[in-house]
Amino acid sequence: MLNDTTTKQSLGYSDELRRLQGIGVTDIADGVTSWVKERDPLHTFEPLVWETVAGIEANPQLPTDLFSLRQGTETSGQRDLTTTAMKVEMQQIVAMNRRVRVIRIAREDHLNADKAYIYFHGGAYYGGTPEDVLLALKFVAEQANCVVYNVDYALAPEQPYPAGILDGLAVVAAMTAEYAHISLGGDSAGASIALGVSQLCKSMGICEIASHVLFYPTVIQGSELPGPLWDDNQITIVSEQRAALHRSYQLFEQLDAIMSGYYVADQAVDLTAPLLSPLLADPTTFHNVTLLVGEYDPFRLQGEAFIKRVGHANGDANYFRYGGISHAFLNFTGNVPAVEDALMTAAKFI
């Protein structure tokens, strides 16, 4: 359930995609413009997501060994949404005494675009690969007419914090001479890596990040369990699905502690440090932030706390919430219409 996948496609895909595309701004408040794209029927899981959530047992327990956890980050079943000729190539970026593999993605007719989107995949800091989000990012590159760099950053615990952030910083530093417009993005833990990179870019004077386009980020380490960022009673859902939602939150509470432990390994570091917990960073660092999250994502509440802080500080934040879907929804690329809408939306803000 932590990394749901499917080979099925939602019924009525095209009609639902058109409906979602027709939903406009639902709120503007304190620097945040919001689009809440509810499901019909309201406050219910999308059926393909429900198939995975409904099977979570009472009092669920995550494994703690690294092999099992990494198996849980594997993905499959996505569909290629692109209709334009695309160029996908592996590159090695050498900068700042680091060597980092990236997957460069661009339209064949925009190979020399002047804007880059540097992206960090999810996987709880210890798992995942750039290939997991390759099809999603091909579609973003096609729609945004930009060059995407999909970063194969260092994973914990073999290379713990801050290695992944430093890899990302090296990639950005190498791109500053080539691109006039650099945006950062990522999903889940990768979005946290992106926000760490953004902070260092500013403090070290490397470049100004034009925008941040983030999918369901985790933005705080070691948050209070239980606490306001984990209170699923704040989330509206039909009564017959309430228990399953609660069980999914229980799993992610365990994941929160496990991934923080692997990420910092045995280092005596402060989990409230801004590079580790961007929710606690100076919000004026992050301009032009767009956050996309599912209604039933257990990381939703911390993401909302983050976007409110950034919006209040800068007045330029955007928030998109998609009804009925949960965490890691990019795994449903091409199968759930809300995901295609989210990818098209992300492309507009790069």
Side-chain angles (χ1 to χ4, degrees), residues 40-186:
D40 183 12
L42 286 170
H43 308 310
T44 59
F45 275 103
E46 202 286 337
L48 293 181
V49 178
W50 175 246
E51 287 182 9
T52 62
V53 176
I56 303 173
E57 297 179 353
N59 301 311
Q61 295 294 317
L62 277 181
T64 57
D65 66 283
L66 195 58
F67 177 78
S68 298
L69 288 167
R70 282 178 169 162
Q71 281 190 313
T73 66
E74 295 174 357
T75 66
S76 63
Q78 301 167 26
R79 300 171 192 254
D80 190 343
L81 296 168
T82 58
T83 58
T84 304
M86 306 293 294
K87 184 173 183 179
V88 178
E89 58 182 338
M90 306 290 182
Q91 292 185 349
Q92 293 286 332
I93 303 298
V94 180
M96 303 183 76
N97 294 316
R98 304 186 79 84
R99 179 183 295 271
V100 187
R101 183 180 78 99
V102 300
I103 303 177
R104 186 183 190 273
I105 310 165
R107 292 170 58 127
E108 289 280 6
D109 56 357
H110 284 81
L111 294 177
N112 297 314
D114 67 350
K115 60 180 179 179
Y117 182 43
I118 299 174
Y119 192 91
F120 303 87
H121 65 82
Y125 305 106
Y126 55 69
T129 71
E131 285 75 11
D132 294 342
V133 288
L134 179 57
L135 294 182
L137 293 180
K138 280 182 64 181
F139 188 58
V140 169
E142 178 190 54
Q143 297 296 307
N145 294 335
C146 69
V147 180
V148 173
Y149 289 89
N150 187 6
V151 182
D152 190 10
Y153 60 88
L155 297 181
E158 293 87 354
Q159 298 184 72
Y161 166 84
I165 295 174
L166 296 178
D167 280 352
L169 186 68
V171 173
V172 174
M175 299 301 156
T176 54
E178 187 173 352
Y179 296 98
H181 180 114
I182 294 177
S183 296
L184 297 180

Side-chain angles (χ1 to χ4, degrees), residues 43 76 100 125 200 204 231 238 255-256 262 339:
H43 308 310
S76 63
V100 187
Y125 305 106
L200 290 183
M204 296 175 68
D231 182 9
V238 295
L255 176 65
D256 183 71
Y262 277 119
V339 180

Side-chain angles (χ1 to χ4, degrees), residues 178-218:
E178 187 173 352
Y179 296 98
H181 180 114
I182 294 177
S183 296
L184 297 180
D187 61 282
S188 193
S192 176
I193 296 285
L195 292 171
V197 172
S198 181
Q199 292 175 68
L200 290 183
C201 284
K202 181 176 181 179
S203 64
M204 296 175 68
I206 290 175
C207 72
E208 181 176 344
I209 300 303
S211 64
H212 307 75
V213 181
L214 311 170
F215 296 91
Y216 40 86
T218 173

